[in-house]
Amino acid sequence: MRRTLAAALAATLSAGLVLAVPGRAVLAQPNCNVPVPPPSCDGGGDPGPTESPVPEGSDKAPTGRIESHGYSDGAYRISGWARDVNGGPVTVSVWVDQAVFSGFRAERYHAGQAGNVGFDIVVPAPTAAGPHQVGLNLGNVPDGTLPEAPYSVILGILPWTNLPATPRDLALTTTAVGGGNDITAEFTDPSLTEDGFTITYDWLVRKVDREGRWVTTTEARTVHIGPSAGTGRVRHTVTGLPSATYVRFYVRTDEIGLQSPALTGGVGTPA
């Protein structure tokens, strides 16, 4: 009988059960050194309380589209649409280089969006030659839930480059000198910050090619002149031009590695 009780006690302890001892309760230590250890030997335990996931807010950021944009004569124009599912109208701000223009609202009727969500904005823009940027931000319309969508959304960043200003008011004067002709080109300097000017001139010449045939070719010359103080008249004379010949001129402003569109004109030399 004693052997039977001892065997039962050993089996109980190996299973990790609680033995009731008169006057107190004792939690037996599990015996993990057996072919099939009890679950308490796997290193697990009470994982403790878990945090509930933060609920996702219903506030959504505004959306929109820039449909047309461009620079002209010291102004930049941007048009498109913007809307926010939480309400509206959406506020729009524009920045040009370091200047910020705010207070615009996307509230014009937009046929494509079938609602008053359109905008057509014109802001001052720099006229200086070189690269520039314009950007457009949309302000969020919060719906009161958390987390809120971003305070503002960048709808677009648009780079553009201003070319140097084109010279103005070209005047060409011919002078016969000995057996050749001179032409004086005079024009108005359009800029206070130019690096100089490039003058290209060309004319047609009839001559015999290598195969003995008469052909018409273009002769061209290019000269570079330095900057002029202020915005007054600039003069430059080219020499040694053939008689009875029509000469075409192209005058460009040079500034920060860029060239302006050409100011063009032409004149015939005396026979």
Side-chain angles (χ1 to χ4, degrees):
M1 183 65 178
R2 290 180 179 178
R3 293 180 180 178
T4 302
L5 291 175
L9 177 60
T12 300
L13 292 176
S14 66
L17 300 180
V18 176
L19 285 179
V21 178
R24 60 179 177 175
V26 179
L27 179 62
Q29 296 297 318
N31 181 11
C32 299
N33 190 23
V34 293
V36 183
S40 57
C41 292
D42 62 4
D46 185 4
T50 58
E51 295 184 2
S52 300
V54 177
E56 181 180 357
S58 60
D59 190 28
K60 304 300 181 184
T63 58
R65 183 178 182 182
I66 296 173
E67 295 179 321
S68 65
H69 62 92
Y71 170 86
S72 178
D73 298 328
Y76 205 97
R77 184 173 187 174
I78 311 174
S79 62
W81 61 269
R83 63 165 16 114
D84 194 319
V85 296
N86 306 322
V90 173
T91 58
V92 181
S93 60
V94 179
W95 52 265
V96 182
D97 290 346
Q98 303 301 318
V100 178
F101 306 91
S102 57
F104 304 103
R105 293 156 68 93
E107 57 186 359
R108 297 167 60 95
Y109 181 75
H110 190 287
Q113 294 295 311
N116 295 327
V117 295
F119 59 83
D120 188 1
I121 300 170
V122 179
V123 295
T127 59
H132 302 278
Q133 278 190 341
V134 60
L136 192 145
N137 288 353
L138 304 180
N140 181 41
V141 181
D143 69 353
T145 64
L146 295 176
E148 287 188 358
Y151 174 75
S152 65
V153 175
I154 297 177
L155 186 58
I157 299 176
L158 310 167
W160 91 93
T161 299
N162 284 346
L163 295 177
T166 302
R168 303 187 305 272
D169 307 321
L170 178 62
L172 301 170
T173 305
T174 62
T175 305
V177 179
N181 296 273
D182 296 348
I183 297 179
T184 298
E186 183 179 354
F187 54 89
T188 300
D189 178 355
S191 174
L192 293 171
T193 55
E194 80 274 1
D195 299 320
F197 301 93
T198 297
I199 302 175
T200 299
Y201 54 102
D202 60 32
W203 63 94
L204 297 179
V205 176
R206 289 271 296 168
K207 62 182 181 181
V208 178
D209 66 10
R210 294 180 179 179
E211 298 179 1
R213 297 173 301 183
W214 282 97
V215 295
T216 300
T217 62
T218 299
E219 294 284 342
R221 304 285 188 273
T222 297
V223 294
H224 301 280
I225 62 176
S228 175
T231 56
R233 298 290 284 174
V234 179
R235 296 175 181 84
H236 184 78
T237 299
V238 297
T239 62
L241 296 168
S243 300
T245 302
Y246 186 80
V247 183
R248 189 80 174 169
F249 280 76
Y250 312 83
V251 185
R252 298 176 174 87
T253 305
D254 300 324
E255 192 169 341
I256 63 169
L258 301 171
Q259 277 195 335
S260 72
L263 171 66
T264 62
V267 67
T269 58

